[in-house]
């Protein structure tokens, strides 16, 4: 679950192809299922696929999505740092 630093380790410990439903994802993140739905709308989590009428994901799909977002944020930060460096030169 969540360790004292706030890092979610449960997803990383699951097999990559483990199927996770919305209720389980909410428990992993210690959030209400409605918060999971909101985070999907904001793009913070990927859209799931319906399985037995409920949204589901694999652990890999969630981690890949989070890693893509982290990479994009890193590139944006680097771009802004380059721009600030050029402006201050």
């Amino acid at each position: 679950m969540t360790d004292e630093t706030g890092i979610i380790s449960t997803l990383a410990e699951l097999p990559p192809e483990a199927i996770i439903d919305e209720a389980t994802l909410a428990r992993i993140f210690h959030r209400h299922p409605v918060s999971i739905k909101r985070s999907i709308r904001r793009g913070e989590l990927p859209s799931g696929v319906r399985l037995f009428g409920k949204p589901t994901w694999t652990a890999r799909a969630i981690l890949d999505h989070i890693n893509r977002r982290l990479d994009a944020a890193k590139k944006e930060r680097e771009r802004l740092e380059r721009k600030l460096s050029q402006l201050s030169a």
Side-chain angles (χ1 to χ4, degrees):
M1 290 294 175
T2 306
D3 66 17
E4 51 278 349
T5 62
I7 298 171
I8 306 292
S9 60
T10 302
L11 283 173
E13 293 169 357
L14 290 172
E17 302 308 318
I19 295 175
I20 303 167
D21 66 7
E22 190 174 66
T24 303
L25 193 59
R27 281 194 303 275
I28 288 171
F29 284 106
H30 299 282
R31 297 290 182 263
H32 192 276
V34 172
S35 295
I36 299 299
K37 288 177 184 10
R38 288 182 190 137
S39 68
I40 292 166
R41 282 195 300 267
R42 290 189 302 263
E44 296 169 356
L45 289 172
S47 297
V49 296
R50 293 197 90 55
L51 183 63
F52 302 113
K54 297 181 180 186
T56 58
W57 300 263
T58 61
R60 178 190 323 258
I62 295 167
L63 291 170
D64 286 349
H65 180 81
I66 292 169
N67 284 325
R68 281 190 301 274
R69 291 188 69 225
L70 288 169
D71 287 342
K74 178 183 175 188
K75 288 176 185 174
E76 178 63 13
R77 186 190 76 237
E78 290 169 349
R79 185 189 70 77
L80 289 172
E81 286 174 354
R82 281 192 307 274
K83 187 173 184 175
L84 286 172
S85 176
Q86 291 171 350
L87 292 173
S88 64

